[in-house]
Amino acid sequence: MTVTATDWRPALARSVVLRHDRVRGTDLLVLPERVVVLAGRAADVLRLCDGRRHVDEIVEELAARFPGAPVAAEVPRFLHRVREEGWLR
């Protein structure tokens, strides 16, 4: 079954935690036996992945926050890539 942007409500996988490292001044995904340092606005996107918002709603929210940014094209691709890694459900 293919999941489209309109019917997927992304949320962090149960074993994944989004944290801000104050010492390094960066956002991290903390996984079992692994830490991923997030670049750019990745944490802004992932903070909206609460299991309640559809991908389209996340894109809409980010487009309002960052006018002119190519969120409509980039955010769904990013979310699907992160999902393939197993970090989103």
Side-chain angles (χ1 to χ4, degrees):
M1 179 175 132
T2 301
V3 178
T4 63
T6 57
D7 60 11
W8 179 34
R9 296 178 187 203
L12 291 177
R14 295 188 198 319
S15 61
V16 177
V17 178
L18 178 60
R19 293 250 164 94
H20 181 75
D21 183 336
R22 287 182 283 159
V23 174
R24 294 183 189 120
T26 191
D27 293 301
L28 309 169
L29 277 183
V30 181
L31 304 105
E33 301 181 25
R34 186 174 178 192
V35 174
V36 176
V37 178
L38 299 173
R41 297 288 181 185
D44 292 322
V45 176
L46 293 175
R47 280 189 187 94
L48 295 175
C49 295
D50 56 12
R52 294 181 306 216
R53 295 177 181 96
H54 290 96
V55 172
D56 292 343
E57 293 169 305
I58 292 169
V59 167
E60 186 177 308
E61 172 72 25
L62 292 166
R65 286 186 196 180
F66 307 106
V71 296
E74 292 180 3
V75 170
R77 280 196 307 254
F78 169 73
L79 292 174
H80 286 286
R81 192 170 68 239
V82 172
R83 185 183 200 186
E84 288 175 357
E85 290 289 336
W87 305 338
L88 288 176
R89 55 183 166 89

